[in-house]
Amino acid sequence: MKVTPVVDARTRRWRAALFLFMLATGVSMASWVARTPAVRDALDVSTGAMGLVLFGLSVGSMAGVLVSGGLVRRHGGRTVIVFGAGLLVAGLLVIAGGAALEASGGVFGGLALFGAGLGLAEVAFNIEGAAVERTVGRPVLPVLHGCFSLGTVVGALLGMGLTAVRFPVGWHLAAVAVAVAAAGIWTVRAIPPGTGREDAEPRAGERAGAGGWRAQVEVWRDRRLVLIGLIVLAMAFAEGSANDWLPLLMVDGHGTSATAGSLTFMLFAVAMTAGRFAGGPLLVRYGPAAVVRASAVVAAVGVALVVFSSSALLAGAAVVLWGLGASLGFPVTVSAAAAGEGEGERDASARVAAVSTAGYAAFLVGPPSLGFLADHVGLRAAMIVVLVLLGGAALITGALRRRTATPVAGDGGEATGGGAAGGGAAGGGAAGGAVPSRGAAGGGATSAHSDPV
């Protein structure tokens, strides 16, 4: 008999807060991307100089991603999200001011702040999302990432509309900053303190306070986590490649107009959003291993059609498969990373941080490297790298299967680790709706009396 967890009001607010701020983050990112041409015109710089300005976003994002996990283990997810949200808002305001003052250095600095806030917040949000999954016993991370994707669609449409009416880019980004600040204030008030913070008592043989980089490196000794990391590398690379290259791929590779290229990217973003919102029931029914395997295959079919088809119309339609297939890879692998057994549960935040860092690194750093390859073989041929990675990921998805935890002493039942998405705790402890405040990813208790949800 399967038990439907009862989620209390505090946990519902926690979950809703994460959804809201991820939506706001997606809006802010797409708002910036949509107004990039206007910022370039305001700065009156060449394409090459604009590339240097954009480098600020990459530098800030990677810096935030690399330090976020250790900061969560030391201070807890809510504290890191507070700082991340503050940097994100400050970055938007500095970008707006830099564009208004026609200062390239100001825009660069604003992008660095924005990227750092984004990196800090998003790793912390993955840890928080995994904690909510373990509390409610249902998939949460796919919808959490779906909110970000939905935000990018909303932000892109808003940016297109304001561009069409020539609304000043500075005022646009300033208004988005105010909206993100309001969402951030409500969010941090709803998130419980201490999620993902290290336990006060170290394990035998471990010095007090051990964590941060050391903890994130040590978790990679787990062969299963290494395989999960390889899967997220491939899936994040497939998503990031579309974000970076899809419009240009359609324009240069298939001879479409710039408008058609932008619309194709919009189609990809909509497919990503739909896939993430629809993924929960599939995960419950088929499990993470089967879903991610099918996702990798679907994405590979989409990429293959875009690369090898001679029809621009067919290639444009295949983008839907690319988006649907790539949509669940990142959130489901992060969820699976949170699942552990025995004492490994206290390291759930370190596992989530490690896999999230690998995924964001692949998303941010990997796809630009395709540009160097494209200089020699062309952009369409360069995308074969994405195909190879997706094929490899499909072969190792068995690492995402749920683990079975050790039965509780004195109990006749057996606890099953991992909820519907491979990271949830089922039954009694979660059913009570207890909101964890400390420990590994804030995980809820796993009950030996209940069947997995």
Side-chain angles (χ1 to χ4, degrees):
M1 175 181 177
K2 291 190 176 183
V3 178
T4 301
V6 177
V7 183
D8 68 358
R10 190 180 181 194
T11 303
R12 287 196 298 271
R13 286 195 301 272
W14 182 16
R15 180 174 57 188
L18 298 179
F19 291 165
L20 173 65
F21 196 75
M22 282 293 273
L23 178 72
T25 302
V27 171
S28 66
M29 172 60 79
S31 296
W32 154 250
V33 172
R35 301 310 300 269
T36 302
V39 173
R40 182 188 62 183
D41 293 343
L43 298 178
D44 192 22
V45 295
S46 66
T47 301
M50 189 63 184
L52 293 176
V53 172
L54 293 174
F55 189 60
L57 180 61
S58 299
V59 171
S61 297
M62 283 310 303
V65 165
L66 291 174
V67 303
S68 183
L71 291 175
V72 170
R73 287 176 65 85
R74 181 176 295 273
H75 302 291
R78 186 172 75 173
T79 300
V80 175
I81 290 170
V82 169
F83 283 105
L87 288 174
L88 197 153
V89 171
L92 285 171
L93 292 174
V94 173
I95 293 169
L101 297 174
E102 302 179 3
S104 298
V107 175
F108 178 93
L111 284 172
L113 291 172
F114 180 82
L118 195 66
L120 282 173
E122 289 210 11
V123 173
F125 266 94
N126 280 313
I127 294 172
E128 293 284 345
V132 176
E133 277 192 347
R134 294 164 60 79
T135 301
V136 304
R138 300 172 186 164
V140 171
L141 282 166
V143 178
L144 185 64
H145 285 257
C147 288
F148 180 86
S149 297
L150 178 60
T152 62
V153 174
V154 173
L157 290 173
L158 178 63
M160 290 170 61
L162 293 178
T163 298
V165 299
R166 300 182 182 277
F167 190 82
V169 64
W171 287 110
H172 173 195
L173 296 180
V176 172
V178 172
V180 172
I185 291 171
W186 189 82
T187 295
V188 297
R189 294 177 63 186
I191 295 177
T195 305
R197 193 185 304 165
E198 285 181 334
D199 292 336
E201 295 296 328
R203 288 175 293 193
E206 183 182 75
R207 66 178 177 83
W213 281 105
R214 177 180 175 183
Q216 291 188 56
V217 171
E218 286 180 347
V219 296
W220 290 114
R221 295 178 180 178
D222 182 355
R223 179 178 176 274
R224 173 176 177 264
L225 192 71
V226 171
L227 294 176
I228 292 174
L230 292 174
I231 295 169
V232 78
L233 280 171
M235 301 302 286
F237 193 94
E239 180 183 348
S241 297
N243 284 337
D244 283 3
W245 297 111
L246 188 53
L248 191 59
L249 179 61
M250 295 302 296
V251 172
D252 290 357
H254 289 280
T256 68
S257 67
T259 300
S262 297
L263 290 175
T264 302
F265 174 72
M266 180 68 70
L267 190 62
F268 174 83
V270 171
M272 286 281 297
T273 303
R276 284 172 168 168
F277 279 108
L282 295 176
L283 289 166
V284 171
R285 179 166 185 146
Y286 299 108
V291 168
V292 174
R293 185 182 302 115
S295 296
V297 171
V298 169
V301 170
V303 174
L305 288 172
V306 172
V307 170
F308 297 114
S309 173
S310 59
S311 168
L313 185 61
L314 179 59
V319 166
V320 174
L321 297 178
W322 189 345
L324 288 173
S327 63
L328 292 174
F330 201 141
V332 175
T333 49
V334 169
S335 177
E341 58 185 357
E343 289 191 19
E345 291 293 344
R346 76 184 294 275
D347 291 326
S349 63
R351 293 194 299 269
V352 170
V355 170
S356 297
T357 300
Y360 284 120
F363 182 86
L364 294 169
V365 178
S369 64
L370 291 176
F372 298 103
L373 180 61
D375 283 340
H376 301 284
V377 301
L379 194 51
R380 285 172 67 174
M383 290 295 159
I384 294 175
V385 174
V386 180
L387 273 178
V388 173
L389 291 175
L390 288 170
L395 296 176
I396 59 175
T397 54
L400 301 175
R401 291 194 180 98
R402 303 184 182 98
R403 288 182 170 185
T404 302
T406 305
V408 177
D411 198 328
E414 188 177 53
T416 55
V435 179
S437 60
R438 292 182 63 86
T446 302
S447 171
H449 301 282
S450 304
D451 295 328
V453 177

